[in-house]
Amino acid sequence: MNNRFYKIVIVSLVMLTGFMTGVYGQEVGSKLPDLSIGGAVINGSKKSTIKEMYEKGGLIINFWATWCSPCLKEQKMLDSLMQVFPDLSVLSTTYEDSILVRKHFDKIGLPKSKLMVITANDKLFHDFFKHRMIPHNIWIDKQGVIRAVTGGEEINEKNIKEFFNGNVANLYAKVDDMKFEFTKTYHVPDSMILFRSYISGMNDAITSGLLYGNEKEFNRVFAWNRPITQFFWLAFTNLKSSRMNWNLIELHSSDSTRFIQPQLDKPLFERSRYNNGNDLLTRQRKWDKDNIYCYELILPKNVDVKLASGYMLPDLEKFFNIKASTKKKRVVCNVVSLNRSKLLKLPVAKGETPSFRHKYYTLNVQSKSIDDILSGLSDDFNDNIPYINNTGYNGLLSFEIKSEKGKLTLEDVWSKLNEFGIGKVKKKRLYKILVLRDLSHPGKG
């Protein structure tokens, strides 16, 4: 969680920030020229040409990155499919540096199929097939014609078989809006607007995320392609937490499906009206269209974060016909205390620029209060047990924690905090929770 001038949280779809200019001009139905394979070849033949690859039977050009989990899953799937379909060729290419990519494969091993061509340091194909979200796949038939552009979900045995039979009609087309820019006003050409609040439906041509100003005040909130519950959660937490903690949400609705994403409660989803005989992906997309929204609030001047959150609630309640409230409930909490005998060990801040940066191996905290640190730990380490700060300490802290064993864990962080005299114990305490009452589909209680 990085606290910069804007706080940006990107979720759901992985976005490439390096390739966001206009579309080059290659469209479905156009003939692909015989491009040379450049960059560093990590796996496969260095002498392969695009024409040789697609004339074999068909070619998928797969854009990926080492940091993209869906891409890695897809790459394994492509590896397996190449063994099922010997005439399938795959060029899996990344813009990333070859040294980084080789280290990645040193850890996980190369694909079983030695015919899968994997390249790094690529510029040619990324320039030729502009995109902003990965996984990104170009399907090319044995005549060299671009037949489809898809994401990773379409890579499966059934679709590959249909592709070889000349049928791509059922492939879900991936469309990247290259003009979309989340740092600018969404769909508003007139920058003279001084106040605006609107809710719109899902836009599947853009990413999903959240943008607002600093922790204390701002004049714009923009959450795009997010579920209903998260809008209320943002207001409830005064925009301090984008990750919903379902332990702190009480829902009253006879149609709870609209609040809970399919992947969070699969049995609920299967019991719902969306279980209509269609395949899972089709039903999930229908749920997205029904229950994912975009929300933007623009104010004439910067206001306190609590005041901005208060502006949000009337909009949300009116549009979704949901009554939001809070109440105290006894829940298991992490009660945090300070050992006063270790006060001299506290890493007191010295005027550094406030920030909270968590990377794979490290956590770097600069000029943050204990409340802010606990909030950051909840979000970045997916800790669903709420914190109660009983330290009584109002100063700011700065410190860095590094893991020497691999991924930094929450246990590693608390081991270091214990050295500073900051500890926690689990106890049941009264804690404020969010209550949502669906007035369109009233539930019991």
Short mmCIF file of all heavy atoms in Angstrom, two decimals, residues 353-382:
data_model
loop_
_atom_site.label_atom_id
_atom_site.label_comp_id
_atom_site.label_asym_id
_atom_site.label_seq_id
_atom_site.Cartn_x
_atom_site.Cartn_y
_atom_site.Cartn_z
N THR A 353 9.12 11.62 4.63
CA THR A 353 7.86 11.69 3.89
C THR A 353 7.02 10.47 4.21
O THR A 353 7.50 9.33 4.09
CB THR A 353 8.12 11.75 2.37
OG1 THR A 353 8.92 12.90 2.08
CG2 THR A 353 6.82 11.82 1.59
N PRO A 354 5.75 10.65 4.63
CA PRO A 354 4.93 9.50 5.02
C PRO A 354 4.76 8.49 3.88
O PRO A 354 4.45 8.86 2.75
CB PRO A 354 3.58 10.13 5.39
CG PRO A 354 3.92 11.54 5.75
CD PRO A 354 5.05 11.92 4.85
N SER A 355 4.97 7.22 4.19
CA SER A 355 4.76 6.16 3.20
C SER A 355 4.67 4.81 3.91
O SER A 355 5.17 4.63 5.02
CB SER A 355 5.90 6.12 2.16
OG SER A 355 7.12 5.76 2.77
N PHE A 356 4.00 3.88 3.21
CA PHE A 356 3.89 2.50 3.69
C PHE A 356 4.07 1.62 2.46
O PHE A 356 3.19 1.52 1.63
CB PHE A 356 2.52 2.26 4.33
CG PHE A 356 2.35 0.91 4.98
CD1 PHE A 356 2.42 0.75 6.35
CD2 PHE A 356 2.09 -0.23 4.21
CE1 PHE A 356 2.26 -0.50 6.95
CE2 PHE A 356 1.92 -1.46 4.79
CZ PHE A 356 1.99 -1.60 6.17
N ARG A 357 5.24 1.03 2.30
CA ARG A 357 5.57 0.27 1.10
C ARG A 357 5.88 -1.18 1.46
O ARG A 357 6.85 -1.46 2.15
CB ARG A 357 6.74 0.89 0.36
CG ARG A 357 6.47 2.29 -0.17
CD ARG A 357 7.62 2.79 -1.04
NE ARG A 357 7.34 4.10 -1.58
CZ ARG A 357 7.71 5.24 -1.01
NH1 ARG A 357 8.37 5.21 0.14
NH2 ARG A 357 7.44 6.40 -1.57
N HIS A 358 5.04 -2.06 0.95
CA HIS A 358 5.25 -3.49 1.18
C HIS A 358 5.57 -4.16 -0.15
O HIS A 358 4.78 -4.11 -1.09
CB HIS A 358 3.99 -4.11 1.79
CG HIS A 358 4.03 -5.61 1.85
ND1 HIS A 358 2.93 -6.40 1.55
CD2 HIS A 358 5.04 -6.47 2.13
CE1 HIS A 358 3.26 -7.66 1.66
NE2 HIS A 358 4.53 -7.73 2.01
N LYS A 359 6.73 -4.77 -0.22
CA LYS A 359 7.10 -5.57 -1.38
C LYS A 359 7.29 -7.01 -0.92
O LYS A 359 7.09 -7.34 0.24
CB LYS A 359 8.38 -5.02 -2.02
CG LYS A 359 8.20 -3.60 -2.58
CD LYS A 359 9.45 -3.10 -3.27
CE LYS A 359 9.23 -1.70 -3.84
NZ LYS A 359 10.45 -1.18 -4.50
N TYR A 360 7.68 -7.86 -1.84
CA TYR A 360 7.74 -9.30 -1.55
C TYR A 360 8.62 -9.60 -0.34
O TYR A 360 8.23 -10.36 0.56
CB TYR A 360 8.28 -10.03 -2.77
CG TYR A 360 8.19 -11.53 -2.69
CD1 TYR A 360 7.01 -12.19 -3.04
CD2 TYR A 360 9.27 -12.30 -2.27
CE1 TYR A 360 6.91 -13.57 -2.97
CE2 TYR A 360 9.18 -13.68 -2.20
CZ TYR A 360 8.01 -14.31 -2.55
OH TYR A 360 7.91 -15.67 -2.48
N TYR A 361 9.80 -8.99 -0.28
CA TYR A 361 10.75 -9.31 0.79
C TYR A 361 10.78 -8.26 1.91
O TYR A 361 11.37 -8.52 2.95
CB TYR A 361 12.18 -9.40 0.21
CG TYR A 361 12.37 -10.49 -0.81
CD1 TYR A 361 12.41 -10.19 -2.17
CD2 TYR A 361 12.52 -11.82 -0.43
CE1 TYR A 361 12.60 -11.19 -3.11
CE2 TYR A 361 12.71 -12.82 -1.36
CZ TYR A 361 12.74 -12.50 -2.71
OH TYR A 361 12.93 -13.49 -3.63
N THR A 362 10.21 -7.09 1.68
CA THR A 362 10.42 -5.99 2.61
C THR A 362 9.13 -5.25 2.96
O THR A 362 8.15 -5.28 2.23
CB THR A 362 11.41 -4.96 2.02
OG1 THR A 362 10.85 -4.38 0.84
CG2 THR A 362 12.75 -5.58 1.70
N LEU A 363 9.19 -4.57 4.09
CA LEU A 363 8.17 -3.61 4.49
C LEU A 363 8.90 -2.35 4.94
O LEU A 363 9.73 -2.40 5.86
CB LEU A 363 7.31 -4.15 5.64
CG LEU A 363 6.31 -3.14 6.24
CD1 LEU A 363 5.26 -2.75 5.21
CD2 LEU A 363 5.65 -3.71 7.49
N ASN A 364 8.61 -1.23 4.26
CA ASN A 364 9.26 0.03 4.60
C ASN A 364 8.19 1.02 5.05
O ASN A 364 7.27 1.34 4.30
CB ASN A 364 10.02 0.59 3.38
CG ASN A 364 10.82 1.82 3.74
OD1 ASN A 364 10.28 2.90 3.90
ND2 ASN A 364 12.13 1.66 3.85
N VAL A 365 8.31 1.47 6.29
CA VAL A 365 7.34 2.40 6.88
C VAL A 365 8.06 3.70 7.22
O VAL A 365 9.11 3.67 7.86
CB VAL A 365 6.71 1.79 8.16
CG1 VAL A 365 5.79 2.80 8.82
CG2 VAL A 365 5.95 0.51 7.82
N GLN A 366 7.48 4.80 6.78
CA GLN A 366 8.07 6.11 7.05
C GLN A 366 7.01 7.04 7.61
O GLN A 366 5.96 7.26 7.00
CB GLN A 366 8.67 6.71 5.77
CG GLN A 366 9.77 5.90 5.11
CD GLN A 366 11.04 5.85 5.94
OE1 GLN A 366 11.42 6.85 6.56
NE2 GLN A 366 11.69 4.70 5.97
N SER A 367 7.29 7.58 8.78
CA SER A 367 6.44 8.61 9.42
C SER A 367 4.97 8.21 9.45
O SER A 367 4.09 8.93 8.97
CB SER A 367 6.60 9.96 8.69
OG SER A 367 7.91 10.44 8.81
N LYS A 368 4.70 7.06 10.04
CA LYS A 368 3.33 6.56 10.14
C LYS A 368 2.95 6.35 11.60
O LYS A 368 3.76 5.92 12.43
CB LYS A 368 3.18 5.24 9.39
CG LYS A 368 3.15 5.40 7.87
CD LYS A 368 1.88 6.09 7.43
CE LYS A 368 1.77 6.24 5.94
NZ LYS A 368 0.53 6.91 5.54
N SER A 369 1.67 6.64 11.91
CA SER A 369 1.16 6.37 13.25
C SER A 369 0.91 4.88 13.41
O SER A 369 0.86 4.14 12.41
CB SER A 369 -0.14 7.14 13.48
OG SER A 369 -1.17 6.61 12.64
N ILE A 370 0.74 4.44 14.64
CA ILE A 370 0.46 3.02 14.87
C ILE A 370 -0.88 2.64 14.24
O ILE A 370 -1.02 1.55 13.67
CB ILE A 370 0.49 2.71 16.38
CG1 ILE A 370 1.93 2.81 16.90
CG2 ILE A 370 -0.07 1.31 16.66
CD1 ILE A 370 2.10 2.54 18.37
N ASP A 371 -1.87 3.53 14.29
CA ASP A 371 -3.16 3.26 13.63
C ASP A 371 -2.95 3.01 12.14
O ASP A 371 -3.53 2.07 11.56
CB ASP A 371 -4.12 4.44 13.82
CG ASP A 371 -4.81 4.41 15.17
OD1 ASP A 371 -4.90 3.32 15.77
OD2 ASP A 371 -5.26 5.48 15.63
N ASP A 372 -2.15 3.86 11.49
CA ASP A 372 -1.90 3.70 10.05
C ASP A 372 -1.16 2.40 9.76
O ASP A 372 -1.42 1.72 8.77
CB ASP A 372 -1.09 4.88 9.52
CG ASP A 372 -1.90 6.16 9.45
OD1 ASP A 372 -3.14 6.07 9.41
OD2 ASP A 372 -1.30 7.26 9.45
N ILE A 373 -0.23 2.05 10.62
CA ILE A 373 0.54 0.82 10.43
C ILE A 373 -0.37 -0.39 10.54
O ILE A 373 -0.31 -1.32 9.71
CB ILE A 373 1.69 0.74 11.45
CG1 ILE A 373 2.71 1.85 11.17
CG2 ILE A 373 2.36 -0.63 11.41
CD1 ILE A 373 3.74 2.04 12.27
N LEU A 374 -1.25 -0.40 11.53
CA LEU A 374 -2.17 -1.52 11.71
C LEU A 374 -3.13 -1.64 10.53
O LEU A 374 -3.44 -2.74 10.08
CB LEU A 374 -2.94 -1.37 13.02
CG LEU A 374 -2.10 -1.38 14.30
CD1 LEU A 374 -2.98 -1.15 15.52
CD2 LEU A 374 -1.32 -2.69 14.44
N SER A 375 -3.59 -0.50 10.02
CA SER A 375 -4.47 -0.50 8.85
C SER A 375 -3.73 -1.08 7.64
O SER A 375 -4.28 -1.87 6.88
CB SER A 375 -4.94 0.92 8.55
OG SER A 375 -5.74 0.94 7.38
N GLY A 376 -2.48 -0.70 7.48
CA GLY A 376 -1.68 -1.23 6.37
C GLY A 376 -1.45 -2.72 6.47
O GLY A 376 -1.51 -3.44 5.47
N LEU A 377 -1.21 -3.22 7.68
CA LEU A 377 -1.01 -4.65 7.87
C LEU A 377 -2.28 -5.43 7.53
O LEU A 377 -2.22 -6.50 6.92
CB LEU A 377 -0.59 -4.94 9.31
CG LEU A 377 0.76 -4.38 9.76
CD1 LEU A 377 1.06 -4.79 11.20
CD2 LEU A 377 1.88 -4.85 8.85
N SER A 378 -3.44 -4.89 7.92
CA SER A 378 -4.71 -5.55 7.60
C SER A 378 -4.89 -5.70 6.11
O SER A 378 -5.28 -6.76 5.60
CB SER A 378 -5.89 -4.76 8.19
OG SER A 378 -5.87 -4.80 9.60
N ASP A 379 -4.60 -4.62 5.37
CA ASP A 379 -4.80 -4.64 3.91
C ASP A 379 -3.75 -5.47 3.20
O ASP A 379 -4.08 -6.35 2.40
CB ASP A 379 -4.77 -3.21 3.37
CG ASP A 379 -6.15 -2.58 3.34
OD1 ASP A 379 -7.09 -3.19 3.90
OD2 ASP A 379 -6.31 -1.50 2.76
N ASP A 380 -2.49 -5.20 3.47
CA ASP A 380 -1.41 -5.82 2.69
C ASP A 380 -1.17 -7.28 3.02
O ASP A 380 -0.67 -8.03 2.18
CB ASP A 380 -0.11 -5.03 2.89
CG ASP A 380 -0.09 -3.76 2.07
OD1 ASP A 380 -1.18 -3.19 1.85
OD2 ASP A 380 0.99 -3.34 1.63
N PHE A 381 -1.52 -7.69 4.24
CA PHE A 381 -1.28 -9.08 4.64
C PHE A 381 -2.58 -9.86 4.82
O PHE A 381 -2.57 -10.96 5.39
CB PHE A 381 -0.45 -9.12 5.92
CG PHE A 381 0.97 -8.65 5.74
CD1 PHE A 381 1.29 -7.31 5.88
CD2 PHE A 381 1.97 -9.55 5.41
CE1 PHE A 381 2.59 -6.86 5.70
CE2 PHE A 381 3.28 -9.11 5.24
CZ PHE A 381 3.59 -7.77 5.39
N ASN A 382 -3.69 -9.29 4.33
CA ASN A 382 -4.99 -9.99 4.35
C ASN A 382 -5.35 -10.51 5.74
O ASN A 382 -5.80 -11.65 5.90
CB ASN A 382 -4.99 -11.15 3.35
CG ASN A 382 -4.82 -10.67 1.92
OD1 ASN A 382 -5.33 -9.63 1.55
ND2 ASN A 382 -4.09 -11.43 1.13
#
